[in-house]
């Protein structure tokens, strides 16, 4: 029997590791504007925006088990909400932004209510239908510029902080703030009893009903949260480019969102973030190597679904726990 | 021998074998072969030591490799600067519904590059291609990449009007010049004009209104058919203005759900019931194929002629349209039969390089690059002042394949003449035949520059 | 009045085209509980295969062989990809739906790589050229052919399901898969055949629609939406539902275009939402055992 010397330093458990990594990651992210060039900063901004979008989708997909093929509509709501409120109706930005978020959450709840009775596959098609409906409505609406969309979407006036939000770096930090706040809040929500109920609904809804949970309410809640987070992403996206078009609501954006969640690993919290990062960076990088990114992503998608269910986050976990795993033998 | 003896014998032999094999393994790397319990544990311990170290190395190398790849992918590369080349960002929808337009456009661009031998005033021209996916958001992101990672001096290309509107505003904001090569929406050089935006193609109104006036001479009434979105309304609207302006009557305007309709049967029935003398339509891509084919299938082609532009009757689609396209007449800005030297030279160079005649998209690509290069030439290769580059371009006047080429004060290319083409059958191929040349229309107002 | 009849004919034609697509999807879902989102991909495969076979002007060759090509492709997918996945335990709805979703992209991207961005076409066969006059236009014989083809497919499928042993096995498998296995039938073989049949129908739809709609790399995505709506409205796994839902959807789209063009862009989706609000399982949903 070989004796193992116990080294009494910080235990290398997975949880501590995760916390360490999170702190490091946040630190790195904050350093970005000071270290990288403009293009990389804008990529970073895009990663965060799509990470939020993917997190929103994952609330339904990973936690509740419902595939939404129409989540792009919230991107559109985020963009058009701000556009209509501030450009058409003249609201100040600090009022229009929270109002848009509220609209997104309410719309999510409404759609959740409408989809309560349908099965998962009907849900898939119904959400697609809703997003097409909304997209069609905005295409036809002359007031919002039809397919040309609306321009002139404002960014917050940060003059009182002494900075200009049209500056790349400042905008990155602005998005980072939203990202951190929303992600942290979402983390707390999903790791609370509420989140456990959602997982229960995913695994076996009838059992949850039998246990006495009003699953309908939880589902509506999940929808509202999911819609809210995706709307935040949509609003930031519109502020980034300065305009909103019906393109944002096309189902290709919905498909891309699902792609991000799946590749990142839908059974984890951080999966969507990793997936979004991977997707944005790989797409940008692939563009230099090959034109055929559709095929590559499709194949990747299939491989992840078939072979590597836990996606990128699972991969990271495996690497992280390698040491501790071996030590246990 | 008793059982015990045999066992003892085996045991001894095994232990001997065991120590030999362990020795070989540790000192000569021979694989461990004999299996005993002691072996197992020893194997594990030795491997363990090795894996411990290898794991650490593996972790570090995976992490750094990933980081390196990520950084490399995001363009953290420095271009060695010898004689600084002139950098142009060519943004086109290389993937997606407009892919074939983009490819042909780029081929025209390449002819212009060849014409200048890839350099102006001693500076090489470096072209960076980026895919817009015909999506305004992606386009702005790619344009940002070109500006920051590659430090391009000027942007060019753009097929889709939506992208044109977005990049036009981007250009005016970021103060980088953009030379739009298609993007025919009127607003781009109308309401949204600016000192950094210049368009080398034309505006929808100028192309179709001239044609509208022309057809009003031959037909009293017409109906229109188009996709229900901004570009569709712009093109059809221009036609209506021209047709009505010269006394024609528009019997009905018909709109189809953009990118959703596949079956035009009901609409065609409606058009027929109005009994117009002619029909004018605008579509692009797969919808063009469907409309032209179904129009012929429903027997309308011979009784009510279908007129359009070079996107409804896109040359690259003629094969797919087949007989349905024969006899179709459309308005365009460039034609093979246009008799001027610039046109002949271009066709010759194109045929030599690609083994086929250029289509309208290749023409537009060529005429996108040409004014840009001429302006850079006029400035002696100095592109540091963006507004000056655009202004110089605006002041150009030269002979191009389309005829006499000038810009107006809205930074939009003027259509001096437009051409009417008929598709004729020549053996088993379809060929364009120039039947008329008419005056181009003017732009819509709205620019306050 | 004539105009109305013309539109009824148009509606029937569109409905039947959608029906041929929908039965494939319904067949696969009904028996195997798999939502084959790559259905659009097999539609594309059928169309492109047809375009290559019809190069020398032979529509009928394309018509007969392309469904086989699509069917074989489907069989390969089922036998070598989906089945191993199922036996490895990755057999939830979600997994298959997502897996086939990825496959759809691969097929569309692949078509673009192989055939480029050019538009292809198949010519209608000589005997079906031309049409008969109605309401001032010529209603093409080819569209009449499509109507008959759709009805024939429906009839053949009904016969197959109702009157053959294979059909009996399919019906039994839909009702209770495990019992079928205990009766000694190799359910996996049946799955391969059924999946192949479903994909063959998609391929057939691809070939048949090519002379009307043309062929291009992203054609699969554009009809997938309509097909999914039909299958959901009709009730997943129900053939009767697919038939009537196809008619409802086809007629709605056609009539909207003819009489209420402003509704075209989103009318169908409102219809879907309304129907699901009243009957969440679809119109003719089959009662499945829950426990």
């Amino acid at each position: 029997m070989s004796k193992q010397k116990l080294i009494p330093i910080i235990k290398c458990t997975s949880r501590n590791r995760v916390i360490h990594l999170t702190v490091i990651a946040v630190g790195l992210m904050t350093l970005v504007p000071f270290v990288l060039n403009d293009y990389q900063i804008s990529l970073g901004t895009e990663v965060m925006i799509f990470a939020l979008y993917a997190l929103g989708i994952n609330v339904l997909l990973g936690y509740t088990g419902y595939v939404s093929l129409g989540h792009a509509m919230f991107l559109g709501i985020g963009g058009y909400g701000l556009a209509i409120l501030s450009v058409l109706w003249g609201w100040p930005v600090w009022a229009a932004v929270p109002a848009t978020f509220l609209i997104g959450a309410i719309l999510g709840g409404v759609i959740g209510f409408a989809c309560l009775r349908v099965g998962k596959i009907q849900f898939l098609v119904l959400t697609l239908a809703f997003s097409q409906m909304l997209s069609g409505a905005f295409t036809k609406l002359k007031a919002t510029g039809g397919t040309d969309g609306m321009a002139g979407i404002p960014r917050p006036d940060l003059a009182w902080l002494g900075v200009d939000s049209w500056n790349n770096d400042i905008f990155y930090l602005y998005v980072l703030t939203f990202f951190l706040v929303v992600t942290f809040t979402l983390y707390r929500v999903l790791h609370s009893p509420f989140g456990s109920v959602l997982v229960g609904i995913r695994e076996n809804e009838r059992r949850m009903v039998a246990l006495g949970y009003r699953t309908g309410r939880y589902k509506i809640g999940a929808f509202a949260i999911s819609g809210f987070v995706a709307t935040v992403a949509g609003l930031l996206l519109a502020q980034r480019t300065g305009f909103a078009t019906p393109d944002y609501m096309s189902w290709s954006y919905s498909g891309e969102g699902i792609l991000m969640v799946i590749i990142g690993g839908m059974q984890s919290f951080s999966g969507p973030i990793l997936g979004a990062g991977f997707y944005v960076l790989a797409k940008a990088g692939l563009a230099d190597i090959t034109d055929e990114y559709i095929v590559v992503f499709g194949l990747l998608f299939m491989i992840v679904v078939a072979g590597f269910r836990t996606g990128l986050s699972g991969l990271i976990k495996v690497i992280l726990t390698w040491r501790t795993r071996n030590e246990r033998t | 021998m008793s059982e015990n003896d045999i066992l003892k014998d085996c045991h001894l032999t095994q232990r001997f074998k065991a120590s030999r094999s362990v020795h070989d393994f540790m000192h000569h790397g021979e694989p461990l072969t004999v299996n005993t319990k002691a072996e197992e544990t020893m194997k594990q311990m030795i491997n363990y030591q090795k894996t411990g170290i290898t794991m650490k190395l593996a972790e570090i190398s995976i992490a750094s490799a990933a980081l390196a790849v990520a950084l490399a992918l995001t363009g953290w590369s420095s271009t060695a600067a010898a004689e600084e080349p002139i950098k142009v960002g060519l943004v086109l929808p290389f993937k997606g519904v407009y892919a074939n337009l983009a490819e042909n456009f780029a081929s025209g661009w390449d002819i212009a590059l060849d014409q200048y031998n890839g350099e102006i005033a001693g500076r090489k021209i470096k072209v960076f291609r980026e895919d817009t996916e015909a999506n305004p958001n992606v386009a702005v992101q790619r344009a940002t990449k070109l500006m920051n990672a590659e430090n391009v001096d000027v942007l060019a290309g753009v097929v889709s009007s939506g992208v044109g509107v977005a990049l036009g505003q981007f250009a005016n904001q970021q103060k980088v010049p953009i030379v739009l090569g298609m993007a025919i929406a009127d607003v781009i050089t109308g309401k949204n004009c600016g000192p950094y935006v210049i368009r080398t193609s034309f505006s929808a109104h100028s192309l179709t209104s001239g044609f509208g006036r022309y057809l009003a001479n031959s037909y009293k009434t017409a109906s229109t058919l188009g996709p229900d979105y901004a570009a569709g309304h712009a093109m059809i609207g221009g036609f209506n203005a021209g047709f009505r302006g010269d006394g024609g009557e528009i019997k009905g305007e018909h709109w189809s759900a953009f990118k959703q309709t596949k079956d035009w049967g009901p609409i065609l029935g409606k058009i027929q019931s109005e009994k117009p003398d002619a029909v004018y339509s605008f579509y692009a891509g797969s919808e063009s194929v469907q409309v032209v084919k179904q129009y012929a299938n429903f027997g309308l082609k011979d009784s009510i002629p279908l007129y359009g532009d070079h996107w409804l009757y896109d040359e690259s689609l003629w094969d797919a349209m087949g007989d349905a396209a024969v006899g179709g007449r459309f308005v365009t800005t460039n034609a093979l039969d246009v008799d001027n030297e610039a046109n002949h030279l271009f066709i010759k160079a194109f045929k030599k390089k690609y083994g086929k005649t250029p289509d309208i998209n290749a023409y537009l690509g060529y005429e996108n690059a040409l004014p840009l290069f001429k302006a850079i030439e006029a400035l002696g290769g100095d592109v540091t002042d963006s507004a000056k580059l655009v202004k110089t371009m605006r002041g150009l006047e030269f002979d191009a394949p389309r005829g006499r080429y000038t810009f107006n004060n809205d930074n939009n290319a003027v259509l001096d003449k437009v051409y009417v083409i008929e598709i004729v059958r020549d053996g088993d191929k379809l060929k364009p035949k120039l039947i008329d040349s008419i005056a181009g229309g003017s732009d819509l107002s709205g620019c306050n520059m | 009045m004539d105009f109305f009849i013309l539109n009824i004919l148009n509606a029937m034609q569109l409905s039947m085209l959608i029906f041929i697509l929908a039965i494939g999807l319904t067949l696969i879902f009904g028996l195997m509980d798999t939502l084959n989102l790559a259905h659009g991909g097999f539609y594309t495969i059928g169309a492109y295969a047809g375009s290559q076979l019809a190069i020398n002007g032979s529509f009928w060759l394309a018509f007969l062989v392309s469904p086989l090509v699509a069917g074989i492709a489907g069989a390969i997918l089922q036998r070598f990809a989906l089945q191993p996945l199922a036996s490895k335990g990755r057999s939830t709805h979600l997994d298959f739906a997502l897996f086939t979703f990825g496959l759809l992209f691969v097929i569309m991207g692949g078509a673009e790589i192989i055939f480029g961005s050019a538009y292809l076409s198949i010519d209608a066969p000589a005997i079906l050229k031309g049409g008969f006059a109605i309401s001032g236009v010529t209603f093409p014989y080819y569209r009449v052919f499509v109507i008959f083809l759709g009805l024939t497919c429906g009839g053949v499928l009904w016969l197959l399901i109702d009157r053959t042993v294979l059909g009996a096995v399919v019906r039994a498998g839909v009702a209770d898969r495990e019992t079928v296995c205990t009766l000694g039938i190799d359910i996996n073989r049946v799955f391969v055949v059924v999946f192949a049949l479903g994909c063959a129908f998609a391929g057939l739809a691809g070939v048949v629609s090519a002379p009307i709609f043309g062929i291009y790399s992203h054609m699969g995505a554009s009809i997938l939406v309509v097909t999914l709506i039909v299958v959901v409205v009709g009730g997943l796994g129900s053939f009767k539902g697919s038939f009537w839902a196809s008619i409802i959807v086809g007629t709605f789209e056609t009539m909207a275009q003819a009489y209420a063009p402003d509704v075209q862009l989103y009318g169908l989706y409102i219809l879907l939402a309304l129907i699901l609000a009243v009957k969440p399982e679809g119109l003719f949903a089959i009662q499945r055992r829950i426990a």
Side-chain angles (χ1 to χ4, degrees):
Chain A
M1 287 286 89
S2 56
K3 283 204 198 117
Q4 271 194 316
K5 266 198 270 182
L6 291 171
I7 307 165
I9 46 175
I10 305 173
K11 281 199 292 182
C12 263
T13 61
S14 328
R15 184 150 188 276
N16 279 346
R17 280 221 165 168
V18 169
I19 295 184
H20 296 162
L21 276 173
T22 315
V23 169
I24 297 176
V26 171
L28 283 175
M29 286 171 77
T30 329
L31 278 180
V32 162
F34 306 103
V35 173
L36 302 179
N37 69 37
D38 257 356
Y39 170 58
Q40 289 165 327
I41 296 176
S42 86
L43 270 187
T45 318
E46 183 155 335
V47 167
M48 287 192 291
I49 293 177
F50 280 109
L52 279 176
Y53 177 52
L55 281 170
I57 293 181
N58 199 30
V59 171
L60 283 179
L61 181 55
Y63 283 88
T64 330
Y66 278 78
V67 184
S68 162
L69 264 188
H71 239 66
M73 70 176 130
F74 292 106
L75 286 183
I77 294 293
Y80 273 103
L82 180 61
I84 293 176
L85 288 177
S86 58
V87 175
L88 276 187
W89 292 355
W91 288 25
V93 175
W94 56 262
V97 169
T100 309
F101 292 162
L102 197 62
I103 295 173
I106 293 176
L107 186 69
V110 166
I111 292 179
F113 179 72
C115 296
L116 269 187
R117 295 201 296 160
V118 300
K120 293 192 175 170
I121 297 186
Q122 285 87 343
F123 175 73
L124 195 137
V125 179
L126 201 55
T127 47
L128 180 62
F130 278 129
S131 82
Q132 293 284 83
M133 239 195 281
L134 226 56
S135 168
F138 278 105
T139 304
K140 283 212 71 113
L141 225 51
K142 286 283 156 33
T144 56
T147 44
D148 279 340
M150 297 185 64
I153 298 201
R155 291 193 187 179
D157 180 10
L158 295 176
W160 52 274
L161 275 176
V163 293
D164 170 30
S165 59
W166 281 99
N167 177 312
N168 249 346
D169 302 347
I170 302 300
F171 189 67
Y172 175 91
L173 292 171
Y174 167 74
V175 171
L176 181 67
T177 320
F178 268 102
F179 176 73
L180 290 175
V181 169
V182 173
T183 307
F184 183 69
T185 318
L186 193 65
Y187 182 84
R188 299 295 290 166
V189 168
L190 288 177
H191 285 76
S192 69
F194 177 80
S196 308
V197 175
L198 291 185
V199 174
I201 294 177
R202 177 188 80 206
E203 292 300 320
N204 192 329
E205 191 170 341
R206 294 183 177 276
R207 193 184 296 156
M208 295 308 284
V209 173
L211 283 173
Y213 287 100
R214 307 279 297 260
T215 55
R217 293 196 183 164
Y218 282 90
K219 281 201 276 191
I220 294 180
F223 271 93
I225 294 174
S226 173
F228 169 77
V229 175
T231 306
V232 174
L235 184 134
L236 292 174
L237 192 64
Q239 281 187 321
R240 177 166 175 263
T241 49
F243 55 87
T245 64
D247 275 328
Y248 286 179
M249 298 188 262
S250 68
W251 72 277
S252 58
Y253 266 117
S254 301
E256 287 180 15
I258 295 178
L259 205 75
M260 290 182 228
V261 173
I262 298 291
I263 291 183
M266 64 177 175
Q267 302 269 338
S268 80
F269 181 77
S270 60
I273 304 177
L274 292 168
F278 175 81
Y279 185 77
V280 171
L281 293 176
K283 204 163 168 203
L286 267 181
D288 292 327
I289 309 174
T290 166
D291 269 343
E292 312 299 340
Y293 64 87
I294 303 176
V295 179
V296 173
F297 278 122
L299 280 171
L300 215 61
F301 196 82
M302 287 166 72
I303 292 173
V304 168
V305 173
F308 211 75
R309 283 303 299 286
T310 44
L312 281 178
S313 74
L315 192 69
I316 303 265
K317 277 212 185 83
V318 165
I319 295 179
L320 282 183
T321 56
W322 201 293
R323 281 280 225 62
T324 51
R325 232 208 263 155
N326 270 354
E327 280 164 9
R328 266 185 243 125
T329 49
Chain B
M1 263 202 204
S2 71
E3 263 182 354
N4 283 342
D5 290 342
I6 295 170
L7 278 171
K8 220 160 67 170
D9 199 28
C10 294
H11 198 55
L12 274 171
T13 338
Q14 276 179 0
R15 281 189 68 182
F16 177 72
K17 279 193 198 150
S19 50
R20 277 303 301 276
S21 54
V22 167
H23 174 267
D24 289 337
F25 172 73
M26 290 200 68
H27 296 280
H28 304 298
E30 302 280 315
L32 285 172
T33 45
V34 187
N35 271 331
T36 64
K37 194 72 194 246
E39 218 85 280
E40 284 315 319
T41 330
M42 204 151 356
K43 244 201 256 181
Q44 271 180 12
M45 281 167 57
I46 295 164
N47 281 332
Y48 195 58
Q49 275 180 341
K50 289 190 166 183
T51 48
I53 304 167
T54 19
M55 264 313 111
K56 231 196 190 133
L57 285 175
E59 268 184 57
I60 298 175
S61 44
I62 290 176
S64 39
L67 193 64
V69 167
L71 282 176
L73 286 180
T74 58
W76 198 326
S77 56
S78 55
T79 43
E83 169 71 77
E84 269 292 312
I86 300 172
K87 302 193 188 143
V88 181
L90 186 60
V91 287
L92 291 168
F94 287 107
K95 278 270 154 282
V97 289
Y98 297 134
N100 67 326
L101 271 82
E103 278 164 31
N104 294 339
F105 188 96
S107 61
W109 239 86
D110 286 336
I111 298 290
L113 272 175
D114 289 345
Q115 195 172 313
Y116 277 80
N117 281 328
E119 64 177 38
I120 303 177
R123 295 177 70 183
K124 282 218 163 313
I125 307 169
K126 196 146 190 273
V127 178
F128 296 92
R129 294 187 177 195
E130 285 293 339
D131 183 7
T132 63
E133 294 175 31
N135 180 328
N137 180 48
V138 175
V140 168
Q141 196 240 317
R142 296 286 154 89
T144 314
K145 172 183 177 183
L146 286 169
M147 275 191 62
N148 296 135
E150 312 288 1
N151 286 314
V152 295
D153 301 300
V154 58
L155 295 168
V158 183
V159 162
S160 130
S161 282
V163 171
V165 170
L167 285 183
Q169 292 175 329
F170 175 83
N172 284 329
Q173 258 166 22
Q174 305 286 328
K175 304 204 176 5
V176 60
I178 184 164
V179 185
L180 298 165
M182 243 192 254
I184 45 113
D186 299 304
V187 295
I188 295 179
T189 52
K191 194 174 58 141
N192 296 354
C193 66
Y196 296 94
V197 179
I198 184 164
R199 175 163 57 190
T200 59
S201 52
F202 47 87
S203 72
H205 200 267
S206 62
L207 177 70
T208 54
S209 58
F211 197 50
R213 281 204 310 274
Y214 171 73
L215 285 183
N217 293 338
S218 321
Y219 302 97
K220 285 218 186 55
T221 59
S223 288
T224 61
L225 172 63
D228 196 0
Y229 78 117
H233 284 277
M235 294 289 273
I236 304 273
F239 175 82
N240 288 349
F243 194 74
R244 286 185 174 126
D246 261 21
E249 182 201 337
I250 300 285
K251 285 242 159 166
E253 284 184 31
H254 301 274
W255 303 102
S256 66
F258 178 47
K259 282 201 211 161
Q260 247 176 261
T261 312
K262 278 200 198 44
D263 186 8
W264 270 265
I267 280 187
L268 293 177
K270 273 206 285 194
I271 290 178
Q272 201 288 330
S273 61
E274 288 168 352
K275 302 206 189 321
D277 294 327
V279 169
Y280 181 78
S281 177
F282 163 71
Y283 280 100
S286 61
E287 295 190 312
S288 296
V289 176
Q290 288 156 359
V291 168
V292 172
K293 277 181 78 155
Q294 291 176 23
Y295 196 88
N297 286 339
F298 275 85
L300 290 173
K301 185 166 90 113
D302 300 311
S303 49
I304 310 174
L306 176 66
Y307 288 90
D309 62 334
H310 49 223
W311 285 308
L312 179 73
Y313 284 111
D314 192 330
E315 192 169 331
S316 64
L317 303 174
W318 292 354
D319 279 337
M321 291 177 187
D323 281 332
V326 176
R329 294 185 180 180
F330 60 94
V331 64
T332 180
T333 53
N334 300 79
L336 297 174
D337 295 332
V338 171
D339 190 12
N340 65 47
E341 199 186 317
N343 196 25
H344 292 314
L345 281 172
F346 173 64
I347 297 173
K348 192 156 141 213
F350 196 88
K351 272 216 271 230
K352 187 161 172 218
K353 183 161 178 150
Y354 297 108
K356 57 178 181 176
T357 50
D359 74 331
I360 181 61
N361 301 302
Y363 267 112
L364 289 173
Y366 179 70
E367 288 182 348
N368 181 234
L370 204 58
L372 174 64
F373 291 167
K374 281 196 187 290
I376 298 179
E377 202 178 23
L379 287 171
D382 180 7
V383 292
T384 43
D385 189 342
S386 303
K388 194 160 162 205
L389 175 65
V390 174
K391 238 177 154 173
T392 313
M393 231 188 295
R394 184 165 93 195
L396 291 173
E397 191 179 329
F398 59 94
D399 286 317
R402 67 168 64 171
R404 193 85 194 124
Y405 195 101
T406 53
F407 290 94
N408 61 20
N409 286 338
D410 296 343
N411 286 356
N412 195 22
V414 172
L415 284 182
D416 183 31
K417 275 215 198 59
V418 293
Y419 306 99
V420 182
I421 307 262
E422 180 175 325
I423 304 176
V424 294
R425 185 171 274 288
D426 180 13
D428 60 344
K429 289 214 133 296
L430 293 178
K431 294 231 157 74
K433 182 171 134 198
L434 177 67
I435 53 173
D436 217 340
S437 76
I438 56 179
S442 56
D443 286 349
L444 287 175
S445 58
C447 176
N448 297 321
M449 247 205 307
Chain C
M1 186 57 198
D2 263 1
F3 182 62
F4 181 69
I5 297 180
L6 172 67
N7 286 323
I8 294 287
L9 286 170
N10 273 325
M12 283 301 296
Q13 173 260 129
L14 188 63
S15 305
M16 286 303 107
L17 208 54
I18 298 175
F19 179 53
I20 300 177
L21 270 167
I23 25 174
L25 203 57
T26 305
L27 196 61
I28 294 175
F29 189 85
L31 177 62
M32 301 162 55
D33 247 4
T34 312
L35 183 65
N36 180 21
L37 285 175
H39 208 64
F42 292 98
Y43 173 78
T44 312
I45 290 178
Y48 272 102
S51 75
Q52 300 309 297
L53 289 164
I55 275 187
N56 295 319
S58 173
F59 172 82
W60 297 110
L61 182 67
F63 176 75
L64 289 170
V65 179
S66 317
L68 284 175
V69 175
I72 293 175
I76 294 177
L77 174 70
Q78 165 63 16
R79 174 69 183 80
F80 294 105
L82 296 183
Q83 202 159 279
L85 276 183
S87 51
K88 271 211 288 188
R90 312 220 190 292
S91 61
T92 64
H93 275 166
L94 198 60
D95 287 337
F96 277 147
L98 292 174
F99 184 79
T100 50
F101 190 56
L103 182 63
L104 176 67
F105 280 108
V106 172
I107 293 179
M108 292 202 301
E112 179 118 5
I113 297 178
I114 302 176
F115 295 98
S117 56
Y119 291 92
L120 301 177
S121 185
I122 301 180
D123 276 335
I127 41 166
L128 289 174
K129 284 211 165 100
F132 60 91
I134 176 169
S135 181
V137 301
T138 315
F139 191 74
Y141 288 131
Y142 189 76
R143 293 198 172 205
V144 179
F145 167 68
V146 172
I147 297 178
F148 278 115
L149 183 67
L151 291 171
T152 312
C153 280
V156 164
L157 201 67
W158 177 75
L159 274 174
L160 200 71
I161 302 284
D162 232 37
R163 299 287 162 94
T164 65
V165 175
L166 177 67
V169 173
V170 169
R171 273 183 289 134
V174 171
D176 192 335
R177 191 186 303 174
E178 274 100 16
T179 311
V180 173
C181 290
T182 62
L183 289 175
I185 297 173
D186 185 352
I187 199 75
N188 284 331
R189 278 244 193 96
V190 177
F191 280 3
V192 171
V193 169
V194 166
F195 199 88
L197 199 60
C199 294
F201 274 116
L204 179 68
V207 168
V208 166
S209 74
I212 307 178
F213 295 159
I215 304 175
Y216 43 99
S217 63
H218 45 277
M219 63 193 294
S222 44
I223 47 92
L224 189 65
V225 180
V226 169
T227 317
L228 282 177
I229 291 179
V230 163
V231 164
V232 162
V233 165
L236 290 162
S238 158
F239 299 107
K240 199 161 85 165
S242 297
F243 181 75
W244 290 112
S246 308
I247 295 197
I248 292 175
V249 170
T251 311
F252 183 84
E253 286 274 275
T254 308
M255 293 310 170
Q257 198 185 104
Y259 298 108
D262 279 331
V263 185
Q264 282 179 87
L265 215 49
Y266 43 77
L268 185 63
Y269 307 113
I270 296 185
L271 185 69
L272 171 73
L274 286 174
I275 292 180
L276 284 185
V278 175
K279 295 208 94 188
E281 295 288 315
L283 290 174
F284 292 96
I286 36 180
Q287 294 307 319
R288 306 177 82 109
R289 289 191 55 196
I290 305 163

